[in-house]
Amino acid sequence: MPSHDVLVIGAGLAGQRAALAAAEEGVSVGIISKVHPVRSHSNAAQGGINAALNPGDSWESHAFDTIKGSDYLGDQDAVEIMTREAPEEILHLEHLGVTFHRNEEGKLGTRAFGGASAARTYYVADITGQAIMHVLYEQLMKYSEQIARYEEWFCSSLALDENGECCGVVTRNVADGQMELFQAKSVILCTGGNGQVWRPTTNALICTGDGIAMAYRAGAKLMDMEMIQYHPTTLAGKGFLITEGARGEGAHLLNANGERFMEKYAPNKMELASRDVVSRAEQTEINEGRGFPDGTVALDITVVPKKRVHEALREIVLVGRDFAGVDITREPIHIKPGNHYTMGGVKTDVDGRTDIPGLYSAGETACVSVHGGNRLGANSLLDTLIFGKRSGKDAAARAKRTDYARPSKQVLEEEENLIADIVGREKGSGRRISEIKLELGQTMDGKVAVFRDEAGITEALEIVRRLKEEAKTAYIDDHGSVFNQDLIAAIELGYMLDNAECTCVAALERKESRGAQYRTDYPERNDEEWLKHIDLERTDDGPELSYSEVTITQWEPQERTY
Amino acid sequence: MAEYTIKVRRFQPESGEGPYWEEFNVDLDPSLSVLDGLLQAKDKEDGSLAVRCSCRAAICGSCGMKINGQSGLGCKTQIGEAQEQANKMKGATGVTAAEASSPIGAQAPEAQDAVRATGQVEAGPGTTAVTTATEAPIVIEPMGNMPVIKDLITDMESTHWTKIRRVTPWLLPHGEPPEREYIVEPESMIDITQSMACIQCGACVSSCLSMEADPGFIGPAALAKAYRFVGDPRDAETQERLHDLAEDPHGIYDCTHCFSCIDACPKGVAPMDQIMRLRRKAGEEGIEDPNAGHAHEVAFVKVIEKKGLLDEALLVQESYAPGIKGKLKPSKRGLTETIKSLPTILRPLRKRKVKLRQAIPGLHHGLPKEEMNDVKSIYEHAEEHNEELNLYIRGEEGDDAQPDGAAAEEVTNG
């Protein structure tokens, strides 16, 4: 049985950072990823990473912006930690080799970003996530003796010992279908978000909420699952992302009449208000008939000097050219709000610890919560790195003081039986996996999106529960062992449906409008009743609700305007 | 919406059969991608069709494949364009890319031949294999220069990643890091951002002709990665890296300048340009180049600058004995090297393909003086536009500094 002191599941930024931090503590580390690590979705973070590193800036200012951005649902102790540790982390990355943009003096240069009161976003052109992730992967290659990489291994469930502590995971080697039980003293879930539950989404096909669902099934609490970010600038239809960096560089949003409509919604910050505000403004323009016939508004990047576009927004030039047939240096591009980010997730403390001893989580999978109701642009990379590092450290410390518990073979057998059941279903015994995924995605995008109401969410929940039943008989075509992507898709569908159910239940429960949750039937924020987190725990009848306090240190909730 | 026929080279390792072609009819908007087409076939017809993919937006690098024989990303190639290309190829050559493709199916070449001989496709169950008379099928194959695992999935670990690890792919600074950031020229970071833009998709490796001839070649992706460190002012082992890459017989001088990797690269990394930069830096380091490539380049530039025409004999001697300043007269060492190269020149001399005076360094005539002014202005232009290879500085269609779009003709990306 392969064993590691610390086992990291998922190898995006959070996972790689966690693995490196754990290895630094001298414990043995394994990192498992269902795709090759550099394929992870952290790649897609274009715009940059926030830190109050400039002499004129302060972590307090960064923290306040983050808390205001979160619509006061972020836990302020966690936000303080993240913003205080940010500058050191940026310097650490720079020392490892990230090719951050420089100013004329050769020092780290910044760009402006949404919801921020200072230009504090550090970046590499518009490939910041990719540039950082590839540098971390360089470090994984460098430290290959301390960190074992399991590339293209898929995790299907967590193993708990008789005391209810996490002691391993069940995995499948994608290349040959071999099932394996891994033993570990600490397990860190860093499997990213659940964007594929919505369609369209900016998220990659691999973002199926695996870690969130695995933790939930093992009995860990989830938190803030109703908080799903719609990014203001995505391509209609395909959902591809146009970085907020474009607006950071000065691009305008225009409706079909050519009006810079943000004047009405956020007269001070204009296009750089926080994302929930901009997305709602756009959707309002579109709903009230001032959008284009394809249900979009326009992003005008032609106002940004060309030289600057080539240097700082090159990826967007390519996205425009290859995926929309638009030269963004010459004409505006049509965009709309699209599913982008999971603010909620596995409930953790500031060291990544979940309710289950030995089980940790970091990055988009986790909910510490630093993002609360709405995440600021360029805070997600920061979240992955800071809490990846912290959970890696704490997981290593735990590993040093505990012994291996032997995970029961039963969990492996259960998993093997489940797979045998899926593979054994006859063609035509039920629906195709792809059909169910499509119906799920369209339902969620239609009813649990920028604007929500009780009737819509209720309907979505009913559909999700029907789809859960249908998934039990859905069949696949591939019956082999080697790269059986069909089988993995079937297991991922189960993860997605659990994620969807939790989001619907929490969205229905929160009877107010805060951050990304806008209820047309409860259009106001209601601090008296709802300044609290919604927690969810799995039962056989669906998620059970409870509440937890929002930690407030020094910033009392105020009215939120931009 | 439009109908397309995609013809996929499949290989199911557990079937005991060799590779075979299968056609799928898909129905989608021409602006959608070849990957979208494949996923539609997978979703609706055959879930066992294996293809790595994730982001759909040319950032994760999963879906490297050959489309109509050209290496690239499935998600970045619009299916409508792929159709036009397939039709053009058939129109021009009378054969489809599938018929023209080289066999990779070492597992069972006879199965491959069977398909090619009949020109027909063995359609799988539930598949309608119909190619309309006017439209050629869009041909999709796994990447080249890598073993195939299943359908479009190749073994990148044993090839691509092994080569990446060969170049010591991490920063090697000396001493303790500074308290704050390293202070470096802003341009140096932009310069290496072009190779940082690499997403490790393997399309360049798939297309590399040198690697086809020498599987040991470190190759375009790994060498572009190497430039990312050689060009990084924070790295303290530039010399060691350059010696390592230059002295390896499968290193930087193994590239044949064929431009395939530049065509294949979906991110404008232009790996060959990065290899040429490595060679230039190696030359500047005084590293001896077995092909005298750097010296050859310098000599070539000098000879043309001086004479306007290529004096090949002078080029040989100048390549081995540089240092002729004003007069372009043969030097002693240059003459020795030239004499060594005599066997190469004797045959054409005997066959009267070359005149005797062309074989003696320095005797070849130059351009008339007035025409030399044009040569001079070309040199001046090149001097002024020294940095334009880098897309992050120049942009793709000519930036403001070059409103006439001259740059667009100089570098193209497939």
Side-chain angles (χ1 to χ4, degrees):
Chain A
M1 184 187 310
S3 2
H4 296 281
D5 288 329
V6 174
L7 201 53
V8 182
I9 318 299
L13 276 186
Q16 295 193 32
R17 188 68 184 89
L20 289 165
E24 247 174 73
E25 302 296 317
V27 300
S28 77
V29 180
I31 184 164
I32 300 178
S33 172
K34 66 176 175 178
V35 291
H36 187 283
V38 305
R39 315 294 175 218
S40 304
H41 190 58
S42 306
N43 263 340
Q46 299 168 340
I49 175 166
N50 287 333
L53 183 58
N54 279 333
D57 202 358
S58 69
W59 70 264
E60 288 93 340
S61 165
H62 183 188
F64 173 71
D65 291 343
T66 303
I67 290 157
K68 180 181 171 188
S70 80
D71 220 347
Y72 296 91
L73 192 63
D75 287 310
Q76 299 187 2
D77 54 340
V79 175
E80 285 193 17
I81 286 174
M82 181 176 82
T83 53
R84 273 176 196 264
E85 293 183 9
E88 192 190 311
E89 188 65 17
I90 300 283
L91 294 175
H92 175 64
L93 295 172
E94 199 279 327
H95 296 156
L96 292 180
V98 175
T99 57
F100 282 118
H101 171 81
R102 306 289 159 147
N103 62 23
E104 283 173 5
E105 297 166 38
K107 295 179 180 168
L108 295 173
T110 55
R111 67 161 42 125
F113 238 67
S117 47
R120 65 167 73 94
T121 303
Y122 294 86
Y123 65 99
V124 181
D126 51 1
I127 55 168
T128 312
Q130 176 191 330
I132 297 175
M133 197 169 70
H134 282 242
V135 167
L136 289 191
Y137 188 68
E138 290 165 12
Q139 297 297 310
L140 285 191
M141 290 191 279
K142 183 176 177 184
Y143 295 108
S144 59
E145 281 177 19
Q146 291 88 335
I147 305 171
R149 304 193 302 271
Y150 299 90
E151 298 171 351
E152 297 185 317
W153 285 66
F154 180 80
C155 289
S156 52
S157 63
L158 300 170
L160 304 189
D161 67 11
E162 61 273 20
N163 303 323
E165 301 193 4
C166 187
C167 61
V169 295
V170 179
T171 59
R172 177 185 177 89
N173 184 348
V174 178
D176 62 9
Q178 174 205 350
M179 297 293 291
E180 191 89 68
L181 186 57
F182 278 58
Q183 189 180 31
K185 295 176 184 170
S186 309
V187 172
I188 313 178
L189 293 168
C190 306
T191 62
N194 61 20
Q196 281 295 317
V197 171
W198 283 257
R199 192 176 298 196
T201 172
T202 63
N203 282 204
L205 298 169
I206 54 174
C207 302
T208 45
D210 304 12
I212 296 174
M214 277 189 278
Y216 174 67
R217 291 173 185 183
K221 271 189 184 146
L222 307 183
M223 187 167 92
D224 296 348
M225 285 297 285
E226 69 280 21
M227 295 303 180
I228 298 295
Q229 182 165 78
Y230 268 60
H231 192 288
T233 52
T234 70
L235 291 185
K238 301 182 194 180
F240 292 158
L241 176 67
I242 305 287
T243 176
E244 184 165 305
R247 282 172 287 137
E249 299 291 342
H252 295 169
L253 287 169
L254 306 173
N255 63 20
N257 306 327
E259 293 156 348
R260 219 179 143 190
F261 57 84
M262 284 310 295
E263 283 167 358
K264 283 185 286 182
Y265 304 91
N268 299 318
K269 297 295 285 183
M270 299 290 284
E271 282 84 357
L272 290 179
S274 69
R275 288 178 175 172
D276 57 328
V277 173
V278 181
S279 284
R280 269 195 298 279
E282 290 175 1
Q283 197 61 53
T284 305
E285 292 294 305
I286 295 163
N287 291 351
E288 293 178 359
R290 292 184 297 277
F292 294 96
D294 58 348
T296 61
V297 290
L299 177 70
D300 185 5
I301 307 175
T302 64
V303 294
V304 182
K306 256 193 195 178
K307 185 169 182 294
R308 187 65 192 148
V309 173
H310 290 313
E311 177 186 302
L313 299 172
R314 208 180 90 80
E315 187 63 33
I316 299 310
V317 176
L318 298 181
V319 168
R321 189 192 69 189
D322 297 329
F323 300 112
V326 171
D327 179 352
I328 58 149
T329 65
R330 294 195 164 90
E331 56 180 318
I333 186 163
H334 286 200
I335 50 88
K336 62 180 285 195
N339 173 279
H340 184 57
Y341 187 83
T342 315
M343 265 84 68
V346 184
K347 183 182 175 75
T348 71
D349 68 8
V350 295
D351 290 311
R353 287 182 285 224
T354 70
D355 292 340
I356 299 175
L359 182 65
Y360 292 75
S361 182
E364 197 171 340
T365 309
C367 182
V368 190
S369 155
V370 285
H371 308 304
N374 170 67
R375 174 175 70 75
L376 290 192
N379 262 356
S380 62
L381 292 184
L382 186 61
D383 171 18
T384 63
L385 294 163
I386 299 296
F387 294 104
K389 175 189 72 180
R390 292 179 68 94
S391 39
K393 269 190 187 169
D394 202 83
R398 176 187 149 88
K400 283 181 185 170
R401 61 173 189 263
T402 49
D403 293 324
Y404 282 116
R406 201 159 180 80
S408 131
K409 284 256 183 279
Q410 196 192 335
V411 59
L412 177 64
E413 282 160 19
E414 280 170 11
E415 213 54 40
E416 282 169 341
N417 291 341
L418 175 74
I419 286 169
D421 168 52
I422 296 172
V423 174
R425 287 175 206 157
E426 291 291 318
K427 187 164 186 160
S429 65
R431 298 179 77 186
R432 291 185 75 81
I433 301 288
S434 54
E435 278 174 27
I436 299 180
K437 278 189 177 174
L438 180 64
E439 189 179 350
L440 172 66
Q442 289 175 342
T443 300
M444 295 299 282
D445 189 59
K447 302 183 194 302
V448 195
V450 175
F451 292 113
R452 307 166 172 180
D453 62 28
E454 185 179 332
I457 304 169
T458 308
E459 206 179 323
L461 183 58
E462 280 164 12
I463 293 173
V464 168
R465 287 184 168 152
R466 167 170 58 76
L467 295 177
K468 277 184 104 162
E469 285 305 307
E470 291 176 354
K472 289 180 185 161
T473 55
Y475 69 93
I476 60 175
D477 301 322
D478 197 333
H479 303 289
S481 303
V482 178
F483 273 92
N484 190 335
Q485 299 176 316
D486 226 9
L487 171 66
I488 287 173
I491 300 173
E492 286 172 340
L493 173 63
Y495 293 155
M496 288 160 63
L497 288 164
D498 279 355
N499 277 267
E501 186 183 21
C502 290
T503 293
C504 290
V505 167
L508 203 55
E509 175 68 6
R510 184 175 287 282
K511 293 176 182 61
E512 65 154 355
S513 292
R514 180 187 301 272
Q517 156 98 343
Y518 192 94
R519 288 280 300 259
T520 51
D521 41 358
Y522 300 95
E524 299 298 326
R525 192 175 90 190
N526 178 353
D527 286 343
E528 214 150 284
E529 285 176 71
W530 289 105
L531 185 60
K532 57 187 179 190
H533 298 292
I534 297 175
D535 297 347
L536 301 163
E537 208 168 346
R538 202 198 82 88
T539 70
D540 287 340
D541 306 320
E544 191 180 84
L545 291 158
S546 56
Y547 307 102
S548 53
E549 290 289 306
V550 174
T551 309
I552 290 176
T553 57
Q554 49 175 301
W555 295 279
E556 284 302 317
Q558 315 165 3
E559 199 196 341
R560 185 161 165 264
T561 55
Y562 282 99
Chain B
M1 299 290 266
E3 277 198 29
Y4 299 95
T5 302
I6 52 176
K7 180 168 178 170
V8 185
R9 174 175 283 203
R10 300 202 59 182
F11 172 61
Q12 295 276 316
E14 293 162 277
S15 68
E17 308 281 318
Y20 59 98
W21 293 104
E22 182 165 355
E23 293 190 3
F24 297 94
N25 289 327
V26 293
D27 192 8
L28 64 167
D29 192 88
S31 71
L32 291 174
S33 69
V34 168
L35 177 65
D36 288 322
L38 283 164
L39 290 180
Q40 192 182 102
K42 190 179 166 81
D43 281 351
K44 292 193 174 162
E45 285 186 51
D46 184 357
S48 76
L49 175 60
V51 53
R52 283 195 188 101
C53 57
S54 180
C55 74
R56 305 159 295 133
I59 40 180
C60 78
S62 299
C63 65
M65 59 184 73
K66 282 188 181 175
I67 300 161
N68 298 318
Q70 168 73 26
S71 299
L73 291 179
C75 70
K76 192 167 176 276
T77 310
Q78 290 187 351
I79 198 158
E81 282 175 15
Q83 181 66 66
E84 280 172 33
Q85 193 190 17
N87 292 348
K88 242 186 241 170
M89 280 179 79
K90 193 173 185 192
T93 62
V95 292
T96 66
E99 288 155 344
S101 89
S102 60
I104 39 164
Q107 293 90 344
E110 64 281 4
Q112 154 108 23
D113 287 340
V115 174
R116 290 171 90 195
T118 60
Q120 280 298 312
V121 163
E122 300 164 56
T127 312
T128 40
V130 185
T131 311
T132 55
T134 48
E135 302 273 38
I138 297 163
V139 177
I140 303 170
E141 299 165 86
M143 289 195 283
N145 287 327
M146 299 174 205
V148 177
I149 297 175
K150 179 179 180 180
D151 293 340
L152 299 174
I153 294 178
T154 58
D155 177 4
M156 290 188 74
E157 170 54 31
S158 71
T159 48
H160 177 83
W161 287 107
T162 305
K163 288 168 190 294
I164 293 286
R165 290 193 293 270
R166 158 69 188 80
V167 302
T168 322
W170 46 82
L171 195 74
L172 294 168
H174 280 182
E176 285 296 302
E179 202 170 301
R180 282 187 57 106
E181 67 270 39
Y182 288 96
I183 309 284
V184 296
E185 288 290 319
E187 290 76 22
S188 66
M189 288 292 113
I190 299 176
D191 178 53
I192 52 174
T193 296
Q194 185 167 10
S195 36
M196 277 308 302
C198 171
I199 55 174
Q200 309 295 349
C201 68
C204 60
V205 172
S206 165
S207 76
C208 178
L209 298 177
S210 292
M211 205 181 288
E212 235 175 274
D214 170 17
F217 178 36
I218 295 175
L223 290 173
K225 182 89 180 167
Y227 181 77
R228 174 250 170 286
F229 299 104
V230 167
D232 193 325
R234 297 169 294 183
D235 193 275
E237 305 214 354
T238 310
Q239 286 183 355
E240 291 83 348
R241 288 181 189 276
L242 285 170
H243 275 278
D244 174 37
L245 299 171
E247 284 153 17
D248 186 327
H250 309 292
I252 50 179
Y253 299 112
D254 214 6
C255 165
T256 59
H257 258 137
C258 74
F259 285 80
S260 294
C261 61
I262 295 188
D263 280 347
C265 178
K267 302 304 288 186
V269 173
M272 192 193 87
D273 287 350
Q274 313 307 332
I275 297 173
M276 293 309 125
R277 290 164 146 189
L278 287 170
R279 286 191 187 179
R280 207 169 302 144
K281 293 221 176 211
E284 287 162 11
E285 275 299 318
I287 294 172
E288 202 180 324
D289 161 3
N291 310 333
H294 177 70
H296 189 76
E297 184 188 309
V298 173
F300 191 98
V301 171
K302 270 195 203 162
V303 171
I304 300 291
E305 187 176 20
K306 183 74 190 165
K307 306 187 80 165
L309 291 175
L310 185 59
D311 181 339
E312 285 187 70
L314 182 64
L315 182 66
V316 173
Q317 81 111 20
E318 177 69 8
S319 298
Y320 287 102
I324 297 162
K325 300 260 156 59
K327 293 184 177 167
L328 284 179
K329 283 212 176 128
S331 75
K332 199 174 163 194
R333 197 187 146 200
L335 274 177
T336 336
E337 293 292 345
T338 313
I339 288 161
K340 266 199 216 159
S341 72
L342 271 180
T344 326
I345 195 75
L346 280 178
R347 251 166 64 105
L349 270 175
R350 259 204 308 265
K351 301 224 166 181
R352 306 208 168 170
K353 288 193 169 166
V354 175
K355 290 177 191 153
L356 186 59
R357 59 194 306 263
Q358 286 174 298
I360 298 172
L363 289 189
H364 195 285
H365 66 91
L367 276 183
K369 240 193 189 140
E370 57 276 19
E371 288 181 31
M372 280 305 289
N373 288 336
D374 294 340
V375 174
K376 210 174 150 194
S377 67
I378 292 172
Y379 272 71
E380 279 165 5
H381 181 88
E383 193 73 24
E384 279 168 27
H385 298 81
N386 218 353
E387 86 286 5
E388 72 206 12
L389 277 179
N390 193 312
L391 293 167
Y392 280 84
I393 296 169
R394 185 185 49 79
E396 283 203 53
E397 293 181 37
D399 58 17
D400 297 331
Q402 289 170 307
D404 57 358
E409 292 163 19
E410 286 163 40
V411 181
T412 52
N413 281 282

